[in-house]
């Protein structure tokens, strides 16, 4: 005899970069186990892969998860976590005065995406520029965990949408990886800074938290940014 099947509630959330509503269900025990195993491994690639797989399983509408920007993934995962486990989570925050850790309870439903305007068309000279796109979760998954200049350049190369000058637009089919590397190697420091500023100012989930230190009683005002900040 087949065991009874449980119905799951459906919820709706919005993908920030697309401004598109999608339906999802809470994640189940089997998916929570997948997340816990990934978190325990402390392996960044395994964690990203688990988050991606859980989102793909739980979002009911047809979306290409691999192509979503990282802040879309962050927002989707917070919505999933809120409806699956509960909207409140405890984080340990360091006092700015004595550096003592204090447990602070946060409502995940109050966290939003900082969608400041980021110009993806970067003018390098009067005639030449580069058009960038937001890093997708697959781009981040492929990064070397050690970081460093190689990882930074890798993500930059992946996120180049096109290059242009006064006469032409050069899409990805117009140049080789070696030619792109040589193009960036020939930028001066000011031009390269314009490119890195695009990544420094990417949208992200963000939340301002005010708390009093349990040790010195000092009032703190802390900005939490990025998914990892809410699960420490």
């Amino acid at each position: 005899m087949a065991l009874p099947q449980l119905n799951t509630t459906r919820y709706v959330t919005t993908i920030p970069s697309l401004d598109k509503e999608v339906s999802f269900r809470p994640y189940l025990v089997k998916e929570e186990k997948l997340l816990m195993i990934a978190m325990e491994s402390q392996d960044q690639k395994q964690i990203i892969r688990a988050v991606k797989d859980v989102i793909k399983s739980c979002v009911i509408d047809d979306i290409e998860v691999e192509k979503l920007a990282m802040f879309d993934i962050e927002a989707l995962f917070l919505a999933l976590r809120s409806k699956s486990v509960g909207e409140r989570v405890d984080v340990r925050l360091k006092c700015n005065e004595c550096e003592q850790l204090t447990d602070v309870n946060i409502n995940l439903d109050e966290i939003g995406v900082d969608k400041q305007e980021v110009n993806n068309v970067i003018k390098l000279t009067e005639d030449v520029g580069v058009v960038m796109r937001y890093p997708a979760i697959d781009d981040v998954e492929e990064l070397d965990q050690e970081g460093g200049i190689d990882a930074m350049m890798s993500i930059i190369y992946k996120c180049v949408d096109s290059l242009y000058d006064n006469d032409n637009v050069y899409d990805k089919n117009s140049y080789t990886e070696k030619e792109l590397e040589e193009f960036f190697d020939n930028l001066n420091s000011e031009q390269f800074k314009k490119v890195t500023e695009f990544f420094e100012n990417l949208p992200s989930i963000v939340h301002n938290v005010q708390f009093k230190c349990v040790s010195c009683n000092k009032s703190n005002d802390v900005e939490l940014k990025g998914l990892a900040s809410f699960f420490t």
Side-chain angles (χ1 to χ4, degrees):
M1 179 184 296
L3 294 176
Q5 298 295 309
L6 300 175
N7 294 322
T8 56
T9 306
R10 293 189 178 189
Y11 300 92
V12 174
T13 190
T14 300
I15 299 177
S17 71
L18 304 178
D19 198 24
K20 173 185 177 181
E21 286 192 345
V22 292
S23 301
F24 69 94
R25 64 165 175 80
Y27 54 73
L28 308 176
V29 170
K30 61 182 179 181
E31 290 144 352
E32 186 170 10
K33 285 165 61 179
L34 179 67
L35 289 169
M36 291 176 64
I37 292 170
M39 296 294 184
E40 288 173 357
S41 74
Q42 297 186 334
D43 181 280
Q44 185 69 14
K45 289 186 178 182
Q46 188 172 338
I47 293 170
I48 291 174
R49 193 176 303 118
V51 168
K52 181 174 67 174
D53 289 344
V54 169
I55 290 174
K56 290 173 72 173
S57 297
C58 295
V59 173
I60 297 163
D61 297 312
D62 187 22
I63 58 171
E64 292 185 90
V65 174
E66 294 85 356
K67 294 184 178 180
L68 291 179
M70 276 306 298
F71 64 93
D72 290 328
I73 296 295
E74 292 174 345
L76 279 172
F77 184 75
L78 281 190
L80 275 170
R81 168 60 170 75
S82 174
K83 300 306 180 186
S84 304
V85 181
E87 70 275 9
R88 306 203 72 90
V89 62
D90 288 324
V91 296
R92 307 195 76 192
L93 303 179
K94 184 182 295 186
C95 176
N96 294 326
E97 184 72 24
C98 69
E99 299 190 347
Q100 174 69 36
L101 293 175
T102 298
D103 289 328
V104 180
N105 190 262
I106 294 175
N107 188 339
L108 297 179
D109 290 340
E110 295 177 353
I111 299 169
V113 172
D114 178 14
K115 289 181 65 178
Q116 59 179 310
E117 290 298 321
V118 181
N119 190 355
N120 68 320
V121 180
I122 303 170
K123 192 174 183 179
L124 301 174
T125 70
E126 287 300 315
D127 305 320
V128 179
V130 57
V131 181
M132 307 297 293
R133 64 168 175 80
Y134 293 140
I137 188 170
D138 273 8
D139 300 323
V140 178
E141 184 180 349
E142 293 175 9
L143 286 182
D144 186 342
Q145 293 187 64
E146 298 300 321
I149 186 64
D150 288 340
M152 181 179 69
M153 296 309 299
S154 175
I155 199 73
I156 289 175
Y157 298 155
K158 290 177 184 296
C159 293
V160 173
D161 196 55
S162 62
L163 305 168
Y164 70 88
D165 57 26
N166 280 340
D167 301 316
N168 296 292
V169 174
Y170 307 89
D171 62 23
K172 291 186 179 296
N173 297 321
S174 305
Y175 52 80
T176 65
E177 185 175 331
K178 181 64 176 177
E179 288 172 330
L180 184 63
E181 182 177 344
E182 290 175 352
F183 175 85
F184 278 97
D185 281 347
N186 284 298
L187 298 183
N188 62 39
S189 58
E190 183 178 346
Q191 291 165 340
F192 186 67
K193 183 180 179 182
K194 292 180 181 179
V195 177
T196 58
E197 284 176 348
F198 169 79
F199 293 94
E200 292 168 1
N201 296 315
L202 289 175
S204 179
I205 56 171
V206 64
H207 188 59
N208 289 315
V209 181
Q210 295 179 337
F211 69 95
K212 279 193 174 182
C213 176
V214 293
S215 178
C216 68
N217 208 38
K218 176 180 171 58
S219 295
N220 288 260
D221 194 339
V222 177
E223 180 184 79
L224 301 182
K225 190 171 184 178
L227 192 61
S229 300
F230 300 94
F231 299 99
T232 56

